Tab-separated table of all heavy atoms in Angstrom:
chain	number	residue	atom	x	y	z
D	1	THR	N	8.707	19.160	7.185
D	1	THR	CA	9.227	18.112	6.307
D	1	THR	C	8.857	16.718	6.785
D	1	THR	O	8.443	15.860	5.999
D	1	THR	CB	10.766	18.232	6.217
D	1	THR	OG1	11.109	19.541	5.773
D	1	THR	CG2	11.332	17.211	5.248
D	2	ILE	N	8.984	16.458	8.091
D	2	ILE	CA	8.718	15.108	8.588
D	2	ILE	C	7.238	14.759	8.445
D	2	ILE	O	6.885	13.607	8.204
D	2	ILE	CB	9.195	14.935	10.049
D	2	ILE	CG1	9.148	13.446	10.438
D	2	ILE	CG2	8.395	15.796	11.003
D	2	ILE	CD1	9.776	13.153	11.771
D	3	GLU	N	6.344	15.741	8.576
D	3	GLU	CA	4.925	15.466	8.391
D	3	GLU	C	4.623	15.153	6.929
D	3	GLU	O	3.833	14.257	6.623
D	3	GLU	CB	4.092	16.657	8.859
D	3	GLU	CG	4.009	16.803	10.366
D	3	GLU	CD	2.904	17.762	10.776
D	3	GLU	OE1	1.741	17.555	10.358
D	3	GLU	OE2	3.196	18.718	11.503
D	4	THR	N	5.250	15.882	6.021
D	4	THR	CA	5.094	15.595	4.598
D	4	THR	C	5.521	14.164	4.308
D	4	THR	O	4.835	13.411	3.599
D	4	THR	CB	5.945	16.563	3.758
D	4	THR	OG1	5.600	17.906	4.089
D	4	THR	CG2	5.715	16.348	2.271
D	5	ALA	N	6.663	13.783	4.861
D	5	ALA	CA	7.191	12.436	4.636
D	5	ALA	C	6.308	11.376	5.266
D	5	ALA	O	6.085	10.302	4.690
D	5	ALA	CB	8.603	12.353	5.196
D	6	LEU	N	5.806	11.665	6.454
D	6	LEU	CA	4.978	10.700	7.163
D	6	LEU	C	3.696	10.411	6.393
D	6	LEU	O	3.289	9.263	6.237
D	6	LEU	CB	4.650	11.228	8.563
D	6	LEU	CG	3.855	10.314	9.495
D	6	LEU	CD1	4.574	8.996	9.689
D	6	LEU	CD2	3.625	11.011	10.826
D	7	ILE	N	3.060	11.466	5.889
D	7	ILE	CA	1.848	11.273	5.091
D	7	ILE	C	2.184	10.548	3.786
D	7	ILE	O	1.431	9.697	3.315
D	7	ILE	CB	1.173	12.630	4.817
D	7	ILE	CG1	0.703	13.251	6.131
D	7	ILE	CG2	-0.021	12.461	3.864
D	7	ILE	CD1	0.233	14.684	5.995
D	8	GLY	N	3.346	10.883	3.206
D	8	GLY	CA	3.764	10.202	1.993
D	8	GLY	C	3.945	8.707	2.186
D	8	GLY	O	3.814	7.927	1.235
D	9	ALA	N	4.213	8.297	3.428
D	9	ALA	CA	4.378	6.876	3.724
D	9	ALA	C	3.086	6.094	3.543
D	9	ALA	O	3.093	4.860	3.565
D	9	ALA	CB	4.910	6.686	5.146
D	10	LEU	N	1.959	6.792	3.351
D	10	LEU	CA	0.707	6.099	3.047
D	10	LEU	C	0.811	5.281	1.767
D	10	LEU	O	0.025	4.368	1.541
D	10	LEU	CB	-0.432	7.111	2.909
D	10	LEU	CG	-1.026	7.679	4.201
D	10	LEU	CD1	-2.014	8.779	3.876
D	10	LEU	CD2	-1.698	6.578	5.008
D	11	ASP	N	1.779	5.620	0.927
D	11	ASP	CA	2.009	4.848	-0.291
D	11	ASP	C	2.275	3.380	0.034
D	11	ASP	O	1.911	2.491	-0.745
D	11	ASP	CB	3.193	5.452	-1.053
D	11	ASP	CG	3.407	4.791	-2.395
D	11	ASP	OD1	4.155	3.787	-2.435
D	11	ASP	OD2	2.833	5.257	-3.389
D	12	ALA	N	2.899	3.126	1.185
D	12	ALA	CA	3.276	1.757	1.542
D	12	ALA	C	2.087	0.811	1.602
D	12	ALA	O	2.114	-0.268	1.005
D	12	ALA	CB	4.044	1.749	2.865
D	13	PRO	N	1.001	1.162	2.317
D	13	PRO	CA	-0.143	0.249	2.311
D	13	PRO	C	-1.071	0.416	1.113
D	13	PRO	O	-1.728	-0.549	0.716
D	13	PRO	CB	-0.869	0.608	3.616
D	13	PRO	CG	-0.531	2.024	3.876
D	13	PRO	CD	0.879	2.200	3.362
D	14	LEU	N	-1.119	1.613	0.513
D	14	LEU	CA	-2.092	1.848	-0.546
D	14	LEU	C	-1.672	1.248	-1.885
D	14	LEU	O	-2.502	0.656	-2.587
D	14	LEU	CB	-2.334	3.351	-0.725
D	14	LEU	CG	-3.106	4.059	0.390
D	14	LEU	CD1	-3.214	5.546	0.101
D	14	LEU	CD2	-4.493	3.446	0.550
D	15	ALA	N	-0.396	1.403	-2.271
D	15	ALA	CA	0.047	0.937	-3.587
D	15	ALA	C	-0.190	-0.563	-3.799
D	15	ALA	O	-0.773	-0.957	-4.819
D	15	ALA	CB	1.514	1.291	-3.804
D	16	PRO	N	0.248	-1.429	-2.878
D	16	PRO	CA	-0.025	-2.854	-3.092
D	16	PRO	C	-1.502	-3.199	-3.008
D	16	PRO	O	-1.951	-4.181	-3.607
D	16	PRO	CB	0.774	-3.541	-1.974
D	16	PRO	CG	1.007	-2.489	-0.945
D	16	PRO	CD	1.094	-1.205	-1.694
D	17	LEU	N	-2.281	-2.366	-2.286
D	17	LEU	CA	-3.722	-2.628	-2.196
D	17	LEU	C	-4.383	-2.497	-3.556
D	17	LEU	O	-5.170	-3.371	-3.969
D	17	LEU	CB	-4.362	-1.636	-1.212
D	17	LEU	CG	-5.896	-1.693	-1.112
D	17	LEU	CD1	-6.345	-3.051	-0.591
D	17	LEU	CD2	-6.422	-0.567	-0.217
D	18	TRP	N	-4.068	-1.419	-4.326
D	18	TRP	CA	-4.683	-1.248	-5.645
D	18	TRP	C	-4.302	-2.406	-6.578
D	18	TRP	O	-5.154	-2.923	-7.312
D	18	TRP	CB	-4.228	0.067	-6.290
D	18	TRP	CG	-4.370	1.323	-5.481
D	18	TRP	CD1	-3.504	2.372	-5.433
D	18	TRP	CD2	-5.460	1.693	-4.610
D	18	TRP	NE1	-3.952	3.355	-4.590
D	18	TRP	CE2	-5.154	2.966	-4.072
D	18	TRP	CE3	-6.643	1.066	-4.231
D	18	TRP	CZ2	-5.992	3.627	-3.177
D	18	TRP	CZ3	-7.489	1.722	-3.333
D	18	TRP	CH2	-7.161	2.978	-2.823
D	19	VAL	N	-3.021	-2.793	-6.546
D	19	VAL	CA	-2.565	-3.862	-7.441
D	19	VAL	C	-3.189	-5.203	-7.052
D	19	VAL	O	-3.527	-6.025	-7.905
D	19	VAL	CB	-1.026	-3.952	-7.413
D	19	VAL	CG1	-0.527	-5.089	-8.297
D	19	VAL	CG2	-0.419	-2.632	-7.892
D	20	TRP	N	-3.348	-5.413	-5.768
D	20	TRP	CA	-3.993	-6.638	-5.274
D	20	TRP	C	-5.443	-6.694	-5.764
D	20	TRP	O	-5.908	-7.716	-6.277
D	20	TRP	CB	-3.921	-6.662	-3.754
D	20	TRP	CG	-4.551	-7.865	-3.111
D	20	TRP	CD1	-4.832	-9.069	-3.683
D	20	TRP	CD2	-4.976	-7.968	-1.746
D	20	TRP	NE1	-5.399	-9.925	-2.766
D	20	TRP	CE2	-5.502	-9.268	-1.576
D	20	TRP	CE3	-4.947	-7.097	-0.667
D	20	TRP	CZ2	-6.008	-9.700	-0.349
D	20	TRP	CZ3	-5.439	-7.536	0.550
D	20	TRP	CH2	-5.971	-8.825	0.713
D	21	LEU	N	-6.174	-5.584	-5.608
D	21	LEU	CA	-7.587	-5.559	-5.972
D	21	LEU	C	-7.796	-5.731	-7.472
D	21	LEU	O	-8.744	-6.401	-7.900
D	21	LEU	CB	-8.218	-4.237	-5.505
D	21	LEU	CG	-8.342	-4.044	-3.991
D	21	LEU	CD1	-8.869	-2.649	-3.674
D	21	LEU	CD2	-9.249	-5.111	-3.381
D	22	VAL	N	-6.916	-5.128	-8.293
D	22	VAL	CA	-7.131	-5.125	-9.744
D	22	VAL	C	-6.462	-6.310	-10.429
D	22	VAL	O	-7.049	-6.952	-11.316
D	22	VAL	CB	-6.624	-3.809	-10.362
D	22	VAL	CG1	-6.763	-3.833	-11.877
D	22	VAL	CG2	-7.394	-2.621	-9.775
D	23	PHE	N	-5.220	-6.643	-10.025
D	23	PHE	CA	-4.445	-7.663	-10.731
D	23	PHE	C	-4.199	-8.932	-9.917
D	23	PHE	O	-3.600	-9.884	-10.422
D	23	PHE	CB	-3.096	-7.086	-11.179
D	23	PHE	CG	-3.227	-6.002	-12.203
D	23	PHE	CD1	-3.046	-4.675	-11.850
D	23	PHE	CD2	-3.556	-6.301	-13.512
D	23	PHE	CE1	-3.176	-3.664	-12.790
D	23	PHE	CE2	-3.688	-5.302	-14.463
D	23	PHE	CZ	-3.502	-3.983	-14.098
D	24	GLY	N	-4.616	-8.946	-8.677
D	24	GLY	CA	-4.440	-10.139	-7.865
D	24	GLY	C	-3.011	-10.407	-7.447
D	24	GLY	O	-2.670	-11.544	-7.114
D	25	GLU	N	-2.136	-9.364	-7.482
D	25	GLU	CA	-0.759	-9.515	-6.993
D	25	GLU	C	-0.814	-9.477	-5.473
D	25	GLU	O	-0.698	-8.441	-4.839
D	25	GLU	CB	0.126	-8.396	-7.539
D	25	GLU	CG	1.607	-8.574	-7.216
D	25	GLU	CD	2.472	-7.487	-7.836
D	25	GLU	OE1	2.580	-7.459	-9.080
D	25	GLU	OE2	3.031	-6.675	-7.073
D	26	ARG	N	-0.990	-10.658	-4.888
D	26	ARG	CA	-1.312	-10.759	-3.470
D	26	ARG	C	-0.081	-10.509	-2.590
D	26	ARG	O	0.927	-11.211	-2.710
D	26	ARG	CB	-1.880	-12.147	-3.164
D	26	ARG	CG	-2.378	-12.326	-1.730
D	26	ARG	CD	-2.900	-13.742	-1.539
D	26	ARG	NE	-4.048	-13.984	-2.385
D	26	ARG	CZ	-5.300	-13.695	-2.023
D	26	ARG	NH1	-5.538	-13.143	-0.857
D	26	ARG	NH2	-6.302	-13.955	-2.847
D	27	PRO	N	-0.160	-9.526	-1.696
D	27	PRO	CA	0.953	-9.301	-0.767
D	27	PRO	C	0.971	-10.365	0.318
D	27	PRO	O	-0.049	-10.998	0.602
D	27	PRO	CB	0.640	-7.915	-0.183
D	27	PRO	CG	-0.839	-7.790	-0.291
D	27	PRO	CD	-1.227	-8.538	-1.545
D	28	SER	N	2.133	-10.556	0.920
D	28	SER	CA	2.258	-11.540	1.983
D	28	SER	C	1.576	-11.037	3.257
D	28	SER	O	1.239	-9.858	3.392
D	28	SER	CB	3.739	-11.811	2.268
D	28	SER	OG	4.345	-10.640	2.805
D	29	ILE	N	1.401	-11.948	4.212
D	29	ILE	CA	0.822	-11.581	5.507
D	29	ILE	C	1.691	-10.527	6.190
D	29	ILE	O	1.196	-9.582	6.809
D	29	ILE	CB	0.680	-12.823	6.407
D	29	ILE	CG1	-0.310	-13.822	5.777
D	29	ILE	CG2	0.205	-12.410	7.798
D	29	ILE	CD1	-1.707	-13.269	5.588
D	30	ALA	N	3.023	-10.668	6.061
D	30	ALA	CA	3.939	-9.702	6.671
D	30	ALA	C	3.748	-8.316	6.062
D	30	ALA	O	3.779	-7.299	6.766
D	30	ALA	CB	5.387	-10.164	6.497
D	31	THR	N	3.541	-8.267	4.751
D	31	THR	CA	3.313	-6.985	4.089
D	31	THR	C	2.010	-6.355	4.548
D	31	THR	O	1.941	-5.151	4.805
D	31	THR	CB	3.298	-7.178	2.563
D	31	THR	OG1	4.584	-7.631	2.139
D	31	THR	CG2	2.973	-5.879	1.850
D	32	LEU	N	0.956	-7.165	4.674
D	32	LEU	CA	-0.321	-6.642	5.141
D	32	LEU	C	-0.222	-6.135	6.571
D	32	LEU	O	-0.737	-5.058	6.899
D	32	LEU	CB	-1.388	-7.736	5.038
D	32	LEU	CG	-1.791	-8.162	3.626
D	32	LEU	CD1	-2.739	-9.350	3.683
D	32	LEU	CD2	-2.453	-6.999	2.896
């Protein structure tokens, strides 16, 4: 279970990356 959850945490850096690249919703330095 913890490995499933850990890999699922990849959503944290990936989701804002797609929105940043396509729509310019720029994350803060802290988020990056």
Side-chain angles (χ1 to χ4, degrees):
T1 304
I2 191 172
E3 286 195 54
T4 305
L6 184 57
I7 296 171
L10 282 173
D11 186 271
L14 289 178
L17 174 63
W18 308 142
V19 178
W20 180 20
L21 292 175
V22 176
F23 295 105
E25 187 177 292
R26 186 181 296 273
S28 66
I29 296 299
T31 296
L32 292 174

